[in-house]
Structure formats: structure tokens, C-alpha cells
Amino acid sequence: MCVGCRKRAEAADLVRVAVRQDDNTSQLVVDLARTMPGRGAWLHPRRDCVTAAVRRKAFPSALRVPGLTVDPDDLAEAIGEITEEDGRRGRNR
């Protein structure tokens, strides 16, 4: 289920994001291989879903990381670069 629009979709149509913790900082990263440890959140690779998830503060609760801040422009750009490089529009396998 997409944490942005809350619609169900096939896993192949969604992008997984997870939290990478370095020292005392937590950073949201796109899990391209879908194998990072810990909780993950899934969303459509569209700017409107990213913006909706950030607006609803869905990432901190979905990933269980209180205080996690996400820049929607940075995340949308990272997802866009991945899907464009992959060439399969919305699939990152």
C-alpha cells in the first residue's frame, strides 16, 4: 500500500524507502534492492504521492522513527532519478 495515496498496488509498481542510521542521524533512503534491514515504507514513484506522504507525516509513523524529517523535493528527485535510470517507469528492480 502506498503511504502517500493509501491505494493498494503491486509491489513492482511501488518504491521501497527505509531509514539508514549513521551515528545520531536518521536518513530516509530509497531501497533499490528492497533488502535493507528494518521497516520499510512503500509508495508510488510519483511526486504527488511523495508530497502527500510528507504532508500527512506518514514516514515517521510507518517507519517507527519519531522526529524523522523528509524533504519532499529531495525524495521525489531521488525516486525520479532511479526510475528514469531503470527505464521501466515506476519499477526499480
Side-chain angles (χ1 to χ4, degrees):
M1 179 183 294
C2 175
V3 296
C5 66
R6 308 287 295 161
K7 293 182 180 174
R8 293 189 184 273
E10 296 290 326
D13 296 330
L14 300 172
V15 174
R16 183 178 190 266
V17 293
V19 173
R20 180 181 345 177
Q21 299 204 346
D22 299 322
D23 298 327
N24 294 328
T25 61
S26 299
Q27 180 181 9
L28 190 69
V29 295
V30 178
D31 182 7
L32 190 59
R34 302 174 182 202
T35 58
M36 288 182 68
R39 295 185 63 84
W42 297 82
L43 72 156
H44 290 108
R46 298 190 313 249
R47 183 173 291 276
D48 59 331
C49 287
V50 172
T51 303
V54 171
R55 186 183 67 245
R56 291 181 36 250
K57 299 180 181 172
F59 292 114
S61 61
L63 299 169
R64 296 187 183 166
V65 179
L68 179 67
T69 57
V70 179
D71 183 357
D73 294 329
D74 290 346
L75 183 57
E77 184 178 315
I79 291 172
E81 288 174 2
I82 289 169
T83 57
E84 287 171 10
E85 287 175 8
D86 186 44
R88 286 181 266 193
R89 295 196 49 98
R91 297 184 183 188
N92 66 346
R93 279 192 190 181

